[in-house]
Amino acid sequence: MHVSVEVVGEETHEIRVEDDDTYADLVRAVDLSPHEVSVLVDGSPVPEDQPVAVERVKILRLIKGGAY
């Protein structure tokens, strides 16, 4: 299955997933850490250890670098 992964405010990626891939695997596939993001399905957060069950997700970065 292919999943459209939108990193909010950045870019959208098309990721191929296997049956046992989790939302954390999707996050890693776009070079982010599961500890710095929330994965949203239909606007609601999903647990990172759950298997991917949809074809479109949004990733919201919780930590963003920058100068003070």
Side-chain angles (χ1 to χ4, degrees):
M1 169 170 76
H2 282 85
V3 177
S4 177
V5 180
E6 176 189 348
V7 180
V8 176
E10 297 179 27
E11 55 193 342
T12 300
H13 306 266
E14 294 296 322
I15 307 294
R16 185 175 189 283
V17 296
E18 301 297 328
D19 291 338
D20 59 345
D21 283 347
T22 65
Y23 291 105
D25 294 323
L26 280 182
V27 171
R28 287 187 205 93
V30 296
D31 294 325
L32 294 171
S33 166
H35 301 290
E36 64 180 317
V37 302
S38 282
V39 179
L40 306 174
V41 172
D42 295 327
S44 297
V46 293
E48 65 186 47
D49 61 347
Q50 294 296 310
V52 177
V54 296
E55 294 181 359
R56 181 175 296 265
V57 302
K58 288 186 178 184
I59 294 179
L60 180 62
R61 292 182 78 167
L62 304 175
I63 301 171
K64 186 109 176 172
Y68 283 76

